[in-house]
Amino acid sequence: MEQICIRLVKLDILSIIRASNRFPSAIRCCGQRLCLRRASLCASDLTRTNSSVTAAASLCLRSRSRLNTCITAFRPAAERVPRIIQPTREFHTSGRLRALPAPLIWMLLKPLQKLTAIILGRSIRKWWLALPPNKKQLFREWTWRRRWHLVGAGTGLLFFVSICLLTHLDESPVTGRTRLLLFSRENFMELARVTGEAYMEEFKDSLIAPSDPRHQVVEQVVRVLAERNQDVAEISSVPWTVHVVDGPTINAFVLPDGNVFIFTGMLEAVADIHQLVFILGHEMAHALIGHAAEQASLSHVVELLSLILLTAIWAICPRDSFAVLGHWIQSKLVQFLFDRPFSRKLEAEADQVGLKLAAKACADVRAGPVFWQQMEIYDQLRGEPTIPEWLSTHPSHQNRVRQLDRLVPEALELRASCDCPALPKADPRVVFHQAVKLLLDNAKKQEQIAQEEKNEKERAGVMLPFPQSPPVLTQGSQPQRGGVLATSTLLSK
């Protein structure tokens, strides 16, 4: 018996068999239990009957439902080739496993990295303290003799790190700024998908229906922003989805995959549609520039350098209490010297790009600075303490107003070049300034009137001092009354 085994490499063999006009094909299914092995085709002589040969070619494949699908091809007897192709091994394909996004893995491993650095530094300190003096001296001499080797190794490591950082430089969209990106846009798209699912689960009971007028307004603003900025590839390539959350929080954010989340508190905080366009343009700027990936990349580099410093702190400090204090100081220095200044820089860039997006959407960009002036007054009315800018992740309201005032003329020129309708002559900034001034003047006048009335009442003797000691009531006497009641009694007599 002659056997010819042909191993399957691709499933394209099915189309080849069907495309062949030499014989018709029939498909049959069999529920046999399959082995996890590759399939092969074997040709062998099967039967010869009455000098006529009937050959059949059979191919069995495994499906995901564990059903063995076989394709059998019969060759006419006239060809006199007594062969049949039958399966001897079976083909198996497994489902594609989805890996976790790299930024998510890094965030999960971040506490473990710090713990490893602490354990390593503490172990080095205990090892050094346990060494006898002669071995310590020998180690110092050994280090001194090989100092140039150590310097060379450090220089090589620094060169390698520099090459790695230089190869991950990228140009920021819209602004053209050179930045460091260790994580790809695809990684953050996957992370945005996971984050979006988590937010949808968190806000599932607070989401406003799409038929709500507030949802329709936000959806229309996002649609206009996306349509008027189709020249930006990061906007035209993303499907934008709006989610309005019913809550008093004055906040809005946009994920890199185009999911827009805005709270009703933000809708109540804006004064008009132009401010809403500016706010959503600001949040969309964060997403299209990829500020989350950029901030995570810089944080990753700073964190790796901090791990070296953290290991040195726990190795050098003689006690754990000193090491904990040094660890706290190191974390605060990283926070105030790197993380928060960089976050303020990204917020300022989002204001700049968001103003351009709003200008191309034909919004009145002069309303942008007015929004932050409103927020400053709102914080003062609520009695919130003023935080110094260097302690915050966002620029102060005053600095934002000054920056936007500098950018408004350029944004107005961009708006005029986009065939937008003319703006009213009344500048919203001037109108707001006059309205605030009028309110302050009225409040000052009311305060002066109240003070004058108080002085007149004091001069007229309306306000009398209360007695120093409580009056003693005797039987049949009336209680003494002070203040306005006592004065009215005296006047009646």
Side-chain angles (χ1 to χ4, degrees), residues 160-371:
F160 174 77
V161 172
S162 302
I163 293 297
C164 180
L165 296 179
L166 290 175
T167 54
H168 285 82
L169 293 180
D170 183 67
E171 184 176 345
S172 175
V174 183
T175 61
R177 175 177 53 85
T178 302
R179 59 181 179 172
L180 176 67
L181 277 185
L182 297 180
F183 303 106
S184 63
R185 182 178 177 83
E186 290 75 15
N187 293 141
F188 265 85
M189 282 296 183
E190 184 67 19
L191 180 61
R193 185 190 62 80
V194 177
T195 307
E197 293 176 355
Y199 279 128
M200 291 298 294
E201 181 67 23
E202 180 181 356
F203 301 137
K204 63 180 181 180
D205 298 329
S206 304
L207 293 176
I208 290 180
S211 58
D212 192 281
R214 293 169 294 181
H215 188 283
Q216 293 177 357
V217 168
V218 177
E219 190 173 13
Q220 183 178 3
V221 170
V222 172
R223 179 179 57 81
V224 171
L225 280 169
E227 290 178 355
R228 299 288 295 185
N229 292 275
Q230 286 293 311
D231 56 322
V232 182
E234 287 76 12
I235 290 183
S236 59
S237 62
V238 174
W240 299 95
T241 308
V242 174
H243 309 282
V244 181
V245 183
D246 189 8
T249 307
I250 303 178
N251 191 23
F253 57 91
V254 177
L255 299 179
D257 61 347
N259 280 303
V260 181
F261 291 86
I262 185 171
F263 292 82
T264 55
M266 177 62 77
L267 298 179
E268 296 173 359
V270 296
D272 52 28
I273 192 67
H274 302 286
Q275 293 185 7
L276 181 60
V277 174
F278 168 72
I279 291 300
L280 291 177
H282 169 90
E283 299 300 334
M284 291 174 67
H286 280 302
L288 71 94
I289 298 177
H291 280 167
E294 186 176 352
Q295 193 166 12
S297 299
L298 181 65
S299 179
H300 186 60
V301 174
V302 173
E303 187 67 25
L304 291 178
L305 298 177
S306 301
L307 291 177
I308 300 175
L309 182 59
L310 182 62
T311 305
I313 289 174
W314 279 86
I316 295 174
C317 292
R319 296 181 181 178
D320 290 345
S321 57
F322 294 158
V324 171
L325 179 61
H327 182 190
W328 181 81
I329 294 175
Q330 178 253 347
S331 63
K332 293 302 178 183
L333 288 176
V334 170
Q335 187 176 6
F336 292 127
L337 295 180
F338 292 98
D339 294 342
R340 296 193 178 182
F342 189 70
S343 177
R344 292 194 295 269
K345 177 183 176 182
L346 298 183
E347 289 294 332
E349 187 179 46
D351 281 342
Q352 177 185 358
V353 177
L355 197 67
K356 292 182 179 180
L357 298 180
K360 294 168 68 175
C362 296
D364 191 349
V365 293
R366 300 172 297 181
V370 177
F371 173 78

Side-chain angles (χ1 to χ4, degrees), residues 73-135:
F74 299 94
R75 186 184 300 276
E79 295 187 8
R80 303 293 181 180
V81 182
R83 295 178 181 177
I84 183 171
I85 302 178
Q86 62 182 8
T88 58
R89 294 184 182 181
E90 295 169 347
F91 184 76
H92 168 256
T93 58
S94 58
R96 183 179 179 182
L97 298 178
R98 187 182 302 173
L100 292 176
L104 181 60
I105 297 176
W106 169 73
M107 286 188 293
L108 295 177
L109 293 179
K110 189 175 180 180
L112 183 60
Q113 292 174 353
K114 289 186 176 181
L115 181 61
T116 304
I118 292 173
I119 295 175
L120 178 60
R122 197 168 183 271
S123 301
I124 293 174
R125 188 217 314 163
K126 288 185 172 296
W127 168 78
W128 179 258
L129 293 177
L131 284 179
N134 59 338
K135 289 189 176 181

Side-chain angles (χ1 to χ4, degrees), residues 14 16-18 20 22-28 54-59 70-76 83-86:
L14 298 177
I16 297 175
I17 294 177
R18 290 185 176 181
S20 178
R22 296 181 181 178
F23 48 83
S25 60
I27 299 179
R28 61 184 177 87
T54 302
S58 178
L59 172 65
C70 299
I71 298 178
T72 306
F74 299 94
R75 186 184 300 276
R83 295 178 181 177
I84 183 171
I85 302 178
Q86 62 182 8

